[in-house]
Amino acid sequence: MTTAVPSLGHSETGDPDTGIPDKPVELSAIGQALAILGDRWVLLILQRAFLLHVRTFAGWRDELKISESVLSSRLKELVAHGVFSLAAYRNGRTRYEYRLTDRGLDLWSLLVAIYSWERDWTDRTDLPQLIHNGCGQEARAYLACGVCLEPMSARETRTVRGPLATFASVGLPRQHRRTVPTRTDYVGYCHHSMEILGDRWSTSVLAAAFLGSRRFGDFHAELGIAPSVLTDRLRRFVDSEVFSFSAGDYRLTERGLAFFEVFAFLVSWAQRELPAPAGSELTITHRSCGSGLAPVLRCTPCGEVLQRREVHFELDI
Ligand SMILES: [Zn+2]
Ligand SMILES: [Zn+2]
């Protein structure tokens, strides 16, 4: 008999098609969040929901050119995890639409953080502007501490892991279709960020790096990941200059460290929204003020904290 250990990694059991564990409560909140969101189709479904207000099965199918079976399974998972609720409405006959719940709506700051990273750290020049309605200017959102409101980066935080916050059990990653949507992405999720976020192994490797893994053996011990898969992901991160490699150490570059903005919102959302066993939490503290992680985005021109309803993207559709 084995004892289930709360894990930042993936459960050994679960649906072999989706990789979603049977008993997600055994995973740490971050492990669950990585399992839910570490998938390119899920990110694209959310992106379209936020940006284009897509609400229906047919809407995503036509917009993303995604196969019906893949779309169906992803939507089912997102409903099961409380990101969308399924609502019936009448329009001649009864139809169904997927509405972002409060938990789902809360992901907007994570999506803006991904957009900000792409704006700052990739060569994309076709990103639309994020406008702050309050001041009417391009927000150029940056990560700040929600308590003291000072800018916050990975270096200015300290992380303490709960005693059971291990990566002990790892299962199969979700099988990805390698097809990439051909339609232009309006905001974010170019191949750079998809390399990082659109794949569960990659997100787990990055999470381990933020938590202090440096050497191949550290990552391997943390993640229990097959050496060939780990080698591949580490190489990809070195190629994409998210990690540097020297003298046996993989270290986050400035480009990789900047991804902390995304990581902060992921951790914050996960620990606020997802059930997890005691002892599996991460405690991230803003060093200068001593407060727990409460990430917010601030507007560069006016300094105000950005709220979901007070920003919009200038889309040229
Ligand atoms: Zn602070
Ligand atoms: Zn502003």
Side-chain angles (χ1 to χ4, degrees), residues 55-57 60 84-89 95-99:
R55 296 281 179 272
T56 62
F57 187 90
W60 280 295
F84 286 111
S85 64
L86 191 57
Y89 68 102
R95 295 169 188 277
Y96 292 92
E97 66 175 22
Y98 295 82
R99 295 182 186 152

Side-chain angles (χ1 to χ4, degrees), residues 131-139 298-304 306:
I131 305 296
H132 179 211
N133 302 348
C135 69
Q137 304 201 59
E138 185 182 3
R298 289 182 69 187
C299 174
T300 295
C302 76
E304 270 187 41
L306 299 173

